[in-house]
Amino acid sequence: MASQNMVATVVAAAVSLLVGGIIGHLGTGTDTISSSDKEKISIMEKLVADKWESEEHLNHKIIDMINTDNLRNNLMELAKLPHLAGTERDHQLAHMIRDRFLEAGFDTADLVPYDVLLSRPNRTNPNLVTLEDVEGQIIFSSTYQEKPLHEDDSDPEFIHAFNAFTPAGDVRTEAGRGVVYVNYARVEDFDKLEELNVNVSGCIVIARYGKIFRGNKVLQAQERGAQGIILFSDPRDVALEGVEAQNVYPNTWWLPGSGMQRGTTYMGTGDSLTPGWPSTAQAYRLKVEDVQLPKIPCQPIGYDDARVILKKIGGTPAPSDDWKGGLTGVAYNLGPELQDRYSNYTLRLKTHNVLQIHRSYNVIGTIKGEVEPDRYVLLGNHRDAWGYGASDPSSGTAQMLETARVFGQLISSTGWRPRRTLVFCSWGAEEYGLIGSTEWVEENVNKLQERAVMYLNTDNCASGPAILIPSSPLLWEPVTRIMKMVPGVRDGATLYDEWMANNVAQNRTSPKMDTLGTSSDHAPFAFYCGIPCLNLMFKSIRNKYDITGYPFYHTGYDTFYMMDKHVDPGFRIQQGCGRIASLMLKYFADSLIIPYSLQHLPEAMKDALDTFKESGKRDKLMKICKKYVLLEESLANLTDTITVFVRKVKEKKTQNLDPVSIRAINDQMMKLEQVFILPAGLPGRPTVRHAVFAQSQFDNYAPARFPGISDLLYRIEELDAAERLEKEDEIRKHISDLTIMMERAASFLQDFHLI
Amino acid sequence: MASQNMVATVVAAAVSLLVGGIIGHLGTGTDTISSSDKEKISIMEKLVADKWESEEHLNHKIIDMINTDNLRNNLMELAKLPHLAGTERDHQLAHMIRDRFLEAGFDTADLVPYDVLLSRPNRTNPNLVTLEDVEGQIIFSSTYQEKPLHEDDSDPEFIHAFNAFTPAGDVRTEAGRGVVYVNYARVEDFDKLEELNVNVSGCIVIARYGKIFRGNKVLQAQERGAQGIILFSDPRDVALEGVEAQNVYPNTWWLPGSGMQRGTTYMGTGDSLTPGWPSTAQAYRLKVEDVQLPKIPCQPIGYDDARVILKKIGGTPAPSDDWKGGLTGVAYNLGPELQDRYSNYTLRLKTHNVLQIHRSYNVIGTIKGEVEPDRYVLLGNHRDAWGYGASDPSSGTAQMLETARVFGQLISSTGWRPRRTLVFCSWGAEEYGLIGSTEWVEENVNKLQERAVMYLNTDNCASGPAILIPSSPLLWEPVTRIMKMVPGVRDGATLYDEWMANNVAQNRTSPKMDTLGTSSDHAPFAFYCGIPCLNLMFKSIRNKYDITGYPFYHTGYDTFYMMDKHVDPGFRIQQGCGRIASLMLKYFADSLIIPYSLQHLPEAMKDALDTFKESGKRDKLMKICKKYVLLEESLANLTDTITVFVRKVKEKKTQNLDPVSIRAINDQMMKLEQVFILPAGLPGRPTVRHAVFAQSQFDNYAPARFPGISDLLYRIEELDAAERLEKEDEIRKHISDLTIMMERAASFLQDFHLI
């Protein structure tokens, strides 16, 4: 029946069209295709084309095109010489990357300069940690450069060990006392010391690297009254298979005894002289003395040197095994006394770091979108390194250059062009506190909040084989989909399989996405602007080694040889990284409806509130603020709203598509996370503006959910009555703000849409 | 030749289309119109239709439809009874307006409630200003309600005179001294008093209304140490043709002796308990004692009562005629002594105002846009009044109801529907500091910044015959165009002619647009969000009477009779208002490319910087900050960029239109002013965020350009050296911020667009 009717209808239509056609050409022309109609149809088809779905074959092409030889060559060039932020080599690489973008066929590629405050050691006067006797005779002096162990790490100009933004200083202990080993220098470590009556005030403290951001270590030491701090890499964290030559670099990826971790200690992000504003010629700059930089000298040393010092510490013994590192023959005593036989020894820390404004470049390259050039899909990675930076960041850059080449070739060989604009960013001075990316975001904040679809960060994409994808919940589903398309870099059929296996290995019962921390250049996009971000990286397999990061991090041994030989021989990891990055870019640039997974946003929030329940935080909060239940209710409301919205979007896809209403839907999704941006920032943190996902205040590396709540609850019990009442008021205010933002978000997805 | 070729081409095309058509229906169908192609063409045509241009006939229809009888009936109903914010009558009117929107055929019309802090006098215990003798015998007592002079102003429940948010208090002077007449209570008036050694500290001061916002008067008095302040309306400002019965209401529009101006004194905007956030159930509320409200009692009186007091003041004589008002037999002595024969008199000010949270409603009605429902063109007007509120605000509401009716009728009679969504807003509690609009903006800030095209405010649209259109420069050209379409309300052929004549009358050599102040509900849209706003009103002709505002402002005589008889007999002014409003709405809702006049934005800024030059401010600034020239350069750059952009938009209009790139262009223009929003507000003013156009800090009524500069320069010479250095640093910082915003704005119009 139906098919007979249909045939009849089609025939009738055909006749009517034919007749209409004849009449049209002789008469009013309503039913034929004029050239202007043809153009309308063609524009319309272009506007509503879903190139991601219709051009699936290109995805396989892209996967095939990401080439390991190219990656290897890129990395060899990038890691050939040290390229510290603002140095000649850093500038050379900026030009090289710009040229590569242009060669690839990009529409634009520009160097974007900023003049920013950096910190360097004094080349001719190295920072030293010494042991001296009462006559000032030097008994022991620390080294300040790694031992050259391989041709790849033998540049004589290699930068001395130092911690950026710690001051020049010269401090020393009393003879025979005043040295305290403070474990990881976390708040809880200092608390333990207090409990044990080991007073750090006026002492030089020595802490091992790991667990938290080094800036927090310095700050804690300073706040507890230490006069200086020495940071060292402990074999327990960096040489798990032994410290003998055959067990460390260049024979393995583990760190030798002279390896020293450099790194910044500034607690903010961006150029400290221009918070909130770009460091351009127009910019007003704070006076250096008005900037919150560490006030006590600090110096990193290797474990060979640390051993010498630690062995001499007596006093209180380590309270538990948690306090003991992996140095054999060292008791990890806490001090503050030295052992009796060293009672005439003084520990001295003398640093000569210099603060100076340097020029730093970002390189910004674009491939213009053909339908929505004003929508940006961004890929970024920093360029500057503490040394050769083969893994950090050049593995990411090697990948970015290859991704750029592949897109260029796609354009020239297939005529493809993205619907939305692709933006490639090589950031300067990330190592000094995300400076290049932050300044650029501060310069372009309006454009980015208005137009950015997604920012994908890679940084040191390869420091191990296990894929990690901390990201905005809006990207969880899409990145999962892409991982399923990409071959595995180890034993898995796909990267998704490997990611799942890694989840299982970590005893995660369900696959779990990670929340973003501040560790790299996505932070200003995510936490200042509310743009959905993904920080793609391959790290060591967590269950295999219980370590923070990777052993050669920020040392002189982050070399091409290290990558080529130990970390990514065959360059399959960097290939995996390039494949994920390029497909994610294309997915977000070419899909008609931007493929965010909205539903994961309230899920992640719910998960966070559930955690509050489990940890007892909810009970605490309820005692302070009955309205906490309204926050839960508003979240439930948002969840329902998103469920309805997502369903409507799915229905929309099956209807006749109208490009303006598609754009409206995309706008709603794209700017949803921005609803959670607090214009003036989190309580006490003007540049951290994301109320739901941002770093914790007490460890700049660590992610947090509802960071304002955690920050405000932090140690509230220890406050005196008046301070506590004030803090409780702040909590009530913040919970109210969060609740209203939930309501705003729900409302942002309702009203005047999808009807 | 050409035409022969064309014929041949057309014939060939016709044949080929016909053949194609046949083949199409039997085979591949490339050249006939399938129903799906038809739909594409029809969607496309709808998406790129400029309904403003193609439906010009509707404009005449609209002009004809705005009906004076309807306006008169609307006003009669609205002004029948007093309708103070949060009272039963206010709520009744909210429901009435909602119903009228629905009757007109709106898609939605809702009451939106907020619970906000309001201030009222104590009904049973009126505020009094008394003169007492040493025994406490009352010699004179002020009235607290206007004398009923006409049936329209005879409601026995009419609210007593008071100034909102001033505290309850009971203060009195010493016998025979302690009363100071302070002219308009401006900064310069108090300075003059100081110069004359008239000390106001501990005194009750008496000031005439006018020139500046009354809140600034109270604040100045408080800061100068006065213990109380009495405000009165002087005949010089409100009864220019004499105070005799035949020269004042109900016989003229001038104010009788018992007319008292009510009004708020709160210096902020919105509910003072929830700055930056909406006063919903979820909201955290400040404690009242933590809010910056006036600390000294204050009371308004009429000039009959003022005369009694002023006549008794002796002491220093008025320094000049500028200090003398229009009360006959009054010398306008300054005090602080009373004249000798009143040396045993005490002046006492006793107020009983009560702070309480009340419910206030906004009414929000919408007509959904058919192409871009997510773009809002808004018309707003408050509803609450200090009394009958016939002019303020009901003349605006009468107009809004008529405009709503006309749009409804347009839809039902012609099938027209706007491209973008129209939003009609009736605000509550404006008189208490723009509360309804501010809370709504705070609740919907994300949606508004993302989607609002334009906000048109009317308030008391008719208080005189001369059109005034202070607005964002982006609206100058469009409102000019509309004024040229609308018949004049007086002698001019069009409103434009009348506006021009008014300019000439004010000795303005070129037609001049005014900058927005904070006087009404556009303020949160303009100054918090950066949305282009227009505050439409008809006021008294400036050259005719040199007065601030209009005489019956905020008194018991703002009645229907006043409007019907004196201010707008025949309702042609309100008709003009309705015509401008409805055409502006349609212009912005229906134009394909939003008709902003971008070029006027840098012009207005240039004009402001030129004023700095003329006033010597530039020299001052250059001494403090050499980089001031960069601000000028960046403005020149922005000017050039806008010139190019505007030209490209014009070219674009002649090309084949693609609806997505049209939307992109509109987005750029729509959000341009937002680039000048400082997230954390102007220095020291978190809710005033527009860096270029905002009210002055020292007169809440008065507009300013680059208000941050003026505020920071204010009295800088009088600071001590350390404070001055700090202030100069703030100036350098602010100039840098402004310069960077100029650069951001230029960049916002470049990159990835119009190519």
Side-chain angles (χ1 to χ4, degrees), chain A residues 261-407:
Chain A
Q261 186 192 124
R262 290 146 190 83
T264 185
T265 59
Y266 176 51
M267 293 294 295
T269 51
D271 182 5
S272 58
L273 299 184
T274 62
W277 298 88
S279 295
T280 58
Q282 292 88 0
Y284 170 85
R285 285 173 170 77
L286 293 174
K287 293 178 199 77
V288 171
E289 57 268 30
D290 292 337
V291 175
Q292 294 271 349
L293 296 177
K295 292 184 177 59
I296 57 172
C298 170
Q299 179 67 7
I301 59 175
Y303 58 77
D304 281 350
D305 286 346
R307 183 190 288 113
V308 177
I309 299 165
L310 291 168
K311 275 182 106 162
K312 296 184 177 52
I313 301 179
T316 310
S320 65
D321 282 353
D322 294 347
W323 282 65
K324 291 180 184 165
L327 282 168
T328 49
V330 172
Y332 291 90
N333 292 325
L334 309 184
E337 296 81 11
L338 296 186
Q339 291 179 28
D340 286 347
R341 59 184 175 287
Y342 307 113
S343 62
N344 67 336
Y345 278 22
T346 290
L347 183 67
R348 182 174 182 184
L349 170 58
K350 196 170 176 186
T351 61
H352 308 276
N353 303 332
V354 180
L355 289 169
Q356 203 180 340
I357 289 179
H358 294 271
R359 173 144 295 195
S360 172
Y361 291 103
N362 295 330
V363 188
I364 308 292
T366 67
I367 298 174
K368 196 153 311 202
E370 65 176 347
V371 175
E372 296 184 271
D374 64 332
R375 288 295 175 264
Y376 311 150
V377 179
L378 302 104
L379 173 66
N381 165 233
H382 72 97
R383 184 185 60 255
D384 66 305
W386 286 118
Y388 307 100
S391 170
D392 180 6
S394 306
S395 59
T397 311
Q399 168 274 129
M400 185 163 70
L401 290 175
E402 179 61 0
T403 298
R405 184 195 67 81
V406 164
F407 277 115

Side-chain angles (χ1 to χ4, degrees), chain B residues 328-391:
Chain B
T328 50
V330 173
Y332 290 90
N333 291 324
L334 307 184
E337 296 82 10
L338 297 186
Q339 291 179 26
D340 285 349
R341 59 184 174 286
Y342 307 113
S343 62
N344 67 336
Y345 278 23
T346 290
L347 183 67
R348 182 173 182 183
L349 169 57
K350 197 169 176 185
T351 61
H352 309 277
N353 303 332
V354 181
L355 289 169
Q356 203 180 339
I357 289 179
H358 293 271
R359 174 145 292 194
S360 171
Y361 291 102
N362 296 330
V363 188
I364 308 291
T366 66
I367 298 175
K368 196 152 313 202
E370 64 176 349
V371 175
E372 295 184 272
D374 64 333
R375 288 297 175 260
Y376 311 151
V377 179
L378 303 104
L379 172 65
N381 164 234
H382 72 97
R383 186 184 60 253
D384 66 307
W386 286 119
Y388 305 100
S391 170

